[in-house]
């Protein structure tokens, strides 16, 4: 999972707003950050770490231009070295920079084809690089004529034919414009914002020469609507699955639907990944989390347990915890306090890091826990390491009984679309019953959301909405061969071994 952002302003520099937007998307990846801008030439800055660590006043001052793209990365296929930080760019044709969120399921096949048949040399293990090379190769065919929207559509069509998986992409073409597209299944989110340029915000000469002739708009494309909120875009819509957006150098918007499919949005965006103040494919994430608490309450009420208070595991489970407590007619208390300056546990790559960072991140409030029956609420259980640590912490703080209610059903299948759970062996739920998992985690009772409850809660009023739910039921929207699945799992295992080795050195 990564955060992508593209901005095309009229005559203002984009770099400061790219940083603001990337900070709003920081929860989507903390491994590296990067920005590429374009004016008379291209300007690139990228590096490992948080957005606030990579960018400073000095390097921002050289990222000039009104057109730019940015990225926050969590490593999916590669080992997460600085060579894998995005944006990536190719010099030819035009100079094209690209960022993406997602994962290619045929990465190894496509990489091999590009290197042996297309004679393109790839420099990283980042899966945006094959997408960029396919796109650039196709666009090169039209280099002898002025760039038209149809050329962009054709290039993206070829990407769709060759690159399998889930990807939301933003690209800039030097001195030509901004491009964005979302894969035909629409698994990863992407939102397009637009705002009219007012004469007061423009230089005197431009105001008279351009703005008086026609309305001019500025554009933004981002993984989540929250990034657009923060940089002042109030009008936005979701990019549709299979849709291509091209904003040309005269700030004219062109868009074309290459495939008309309904979105199969990753349901985990609503459960865990996305910020609660985002709206994805029309569904408000915060509202979805409240409903997850309501449907989970039905499961809790079926059990013979007597919780006295609800304690959400901060921050994601808070809305569900509030709804659950209300439905059970008991109080919700903040019994676990989070240190805001520690990175998200679930997306910390190595297991050993996880249990250390849980203790650094959360601390129990004894007065709220001692001698009580506690119902903890969490969003999901992946490997179980975090849950086990939290339960132990709550017991040490004096709880009489500890129950754990989870807003998602058991995770049993790998995600091949860009989320850090890529091998079947990683899941605590693999091949185990609920009571076996409860014993491993150390809770008196474990209550999972039902699959139907999950769907019903996230859907809300969108009764016919479909989602990707592959990690719960193995139903992959794009289809996937066992060969590709095994290759992805092997690569992931190799990467984990490398990370463990690096740590012990
Ligand atoms: S497999 Fe799960 S985490 Fe991955 S895209 Fe589908 S729903 Fe999201």
């Amino acid at each position: 999972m990564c955060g992508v952002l593209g901005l095309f302003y009229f005559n203002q520099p984009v770099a400061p707003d790219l940083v603001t937007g990337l900070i709003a998307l920081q929860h989507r990846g903390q491994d590296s950050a990067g920005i590429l801008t374009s004016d008379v030439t291209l300007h690139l800055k990228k590096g490992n770490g948080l957005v606030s660590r990579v960018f400073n006043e000095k390097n921002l001052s050289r990222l000039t231009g009104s057109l730019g793209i940015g990225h926050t990365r969590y490593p999916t296929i590669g080992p997460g070295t600085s060579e894998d930080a995005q944006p990536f760019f190719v010099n030819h044709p035009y100079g094209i920079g690209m960022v993406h969120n997602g994962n290619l399921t045929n990465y190894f096949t496509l990489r091999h084809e590009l290197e042996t048949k297309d004679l393109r040399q790839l420099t990283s293990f980042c899966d945006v690089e094959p997408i960029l090379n396919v796109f650039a190769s196709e666009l090169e065919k039209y280099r002898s004529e002025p760039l038209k929207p149809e050329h962009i559509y054709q290039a993206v069509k070829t990407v769709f034919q060759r690159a399998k998986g889930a990807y939301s992409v933003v690209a800039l073409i030097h001195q030509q414009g901004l491009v964005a597209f979302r894969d035909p299944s629409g698994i990863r989110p992407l939102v397009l914002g637009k705002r009219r340029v007012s004469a007061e915000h423009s230089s005197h000469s431009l105001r008279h020469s351009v703005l008086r002739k026609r309305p001019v708009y500025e554009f933004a494309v981002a993984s989540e609507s929250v990034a657009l909120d923060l940089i002042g875009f109030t009008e936005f819509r979701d990019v549709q699955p299979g849709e291509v957006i091209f904003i040309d150098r005269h700030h004219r918007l062109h868009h074309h639907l290459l495939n008309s499919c309904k979105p199969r949005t990753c349901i985990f965006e609503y459960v865990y990944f996305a910020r609660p103040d985002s709206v994805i494919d029309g569904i408000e994430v915060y509202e979805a989390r409240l409903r997850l608490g309501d449907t989970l309450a039905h499961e809790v009420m079926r059990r013979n347990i007597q919780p006295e208070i609800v304690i959400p595991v901060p921050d994601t489970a808070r809305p569900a915890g509030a709804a659950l407590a209300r439905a059970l007619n008991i109080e919700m208390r903040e019994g676990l306090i989070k240190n805001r300056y520690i990175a998200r546990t679930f997306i910390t790559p190595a297991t050993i890091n996880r249990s250390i960072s849980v203790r650094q991140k959360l601390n129990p409030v004894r007065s709220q826990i001692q001698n009580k029956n506690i119902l903890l609420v969490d969003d999901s259980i992946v490997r179980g390491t975090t849950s086990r640590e939290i339960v132990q912490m709550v017991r040490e703080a004096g709880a009489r009984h500890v129950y754990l209610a989870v807003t998602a059903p058991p995770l049993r299948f790998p995600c091949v679309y860009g989320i850090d759970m890529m091998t079947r062996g990683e899941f605590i739920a693999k091949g185990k019953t609920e009571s076996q998992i409860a014993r491993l985690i150390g809770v008196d009772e474990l209550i999972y959301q039902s699959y139907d409850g999950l769907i019903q809660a996230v859907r809300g009023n969108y009764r016919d909405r479909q989602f990707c739910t592959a990690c719960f039921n193995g139903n992959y929207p794009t289809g996937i061969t066992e060969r590709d699945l095994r290759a992805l799992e092997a690569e992931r295992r190799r990467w984990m071994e490398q990370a463990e080795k690096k740590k012990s050195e």
Side-chain angles (χ1 to χ4, degrees), residues 187-188 266-268 273 414-415 417 419 421 468-471:
I187 294 169
R188 305 258 71 96
C266 164
I267 205 159
F268 230 60
F273 301 133
C415 176
Y417 301 129
I419 305 306
M421 35 193 203
C468 172
T469 53
C471 47

Side-chain angles (χ1 to χ4, degrees), residues 338-356:
K338 184 178 170 185
N339 178 345
R340 289 160 201 277
Y341 303 98
I342 302 286
R344 283 183 129 184
T345 312
F346 176 79
I347 55 172
T348 305
T351 311
I352 204 160
N353 265 356
R354 273 181 205 109
S355 67
I356 295 168

